[in-house]
Amino acid sequence: MGIMEIIGIAGSVSLLSGWRLYLCVFATGLAMRLDAIPIPEHLASLGVLENPWVMGIAALGALAEFFADKVMWLDSIWDTVHTLVRPVGGALLALAIVDPSDPAMQVVAFLLGGGASFLAHGGKASARAVVNTSPEPVSNLMVSSAEDVATVGLLYVAYEYPLVAGGIALVLLVLVVLLLLWARRVIKRLFFRTPRVEG
């Protein structure tokens, strides 16, 4: 596996962790346990994800997140609590993916993984805060379900097709930036309207 493939996988997993950290950990561990993901020797540190305890805790977290994320405003509280957890988790996952014999690459992976995860988390949390301003709960449920499906699907593609993983990471990065810009525009329109002067 080449350096670009490893960076692509690390980037994709980190970005997806900003949306669904527990689901990323559980799905990766499950895929490894079912031998759906052949882990190369230099990625052996990822083997910890298929530990029953790690998988069990990740499954509980994914289940709690699944339900919390479907309830209006509870999802924003959940996102706020996870503002530190997701970036650290994304950074650690990226760290586990790169070659442990190269300390410089590990530091780069940790910093970029944490940054990517934090950016994705910020985009998700901002977009969901905007969606929560809608009076009906259906849009919240639809957005949350789309995030679930996208996370599982993109995680599968990233591990199954490492060359495509870099493209996935770039697409996710663009999507996150667009979400942040959209959320900024909507929040500005909602809370910072200039009053019209009657003349």
Side-chain angles (χ1 to χ4, degrees), residues 3-114:
I3 187 70
M4 292 312 293
E5 293 164 294
I6 292 169
I7 289 172
I9 291 174
S12 296
V13 172
S14 297
L15 283 161
L16 289 169
S17 296
W19 289 355
R20 297 281 191 271
L21 173 63
Y22 303 112
L23 186 57
C24 284
V25 172
F26 178 75
T28 303
L30 183 64
M32 291 168 63
R33 187 165 276 276
L34 298 174
D35 292 325
I37 299 175
I39 300 297
E41 191 176 315
H42 69 278
L43 298 182
S45 55
L46 278 177
V48 72
L49 299 182
E50 62 178 326
N51 177 292
W53 284 100
V54 173
M55 285 184 65
I57 291 169
L60 285 174
L63 197 63
E65 185 166 59
F66 178 82
F67 289 110
D69 208 56
K70 304 290 183 286
V71 179
M72 189 183 295
W73 295 113
L74 180 58
D75 62 337
S76 291
I77 294 169
W78 182 271
D79 284 340
T80 303
V81 170
H82 284 80
T83 297
L84 180 63
V85 177
R86 286 180 184 147
V88 171
L92 291 174
L93 278 172
L95 188 65
I97 289 170
V98 300
D99 187 354
S101 67
D102 186 351
M105 189 64 178
Q106 289 224 303
V107 171
V108 169
F110 185 80
L111 294 174
L112 291 180

Side-chain angles (χ1 to χ4, degrees), residues 107-143:
V107 171
V108 169
F110 185 80
L111 294 174
L112 291 180
S117 187
F118 182 72
L119 187 63
H121 167 74
K124 173 197 183 304
S126 300
R128 295 304 289 279
V130 170
V131 170
N132 282 334
T133 61
S134 172
E136 42 77 35
V138 177
S139 55
N140 194 58
L141 191 65
M142 286 172 53
V143 170

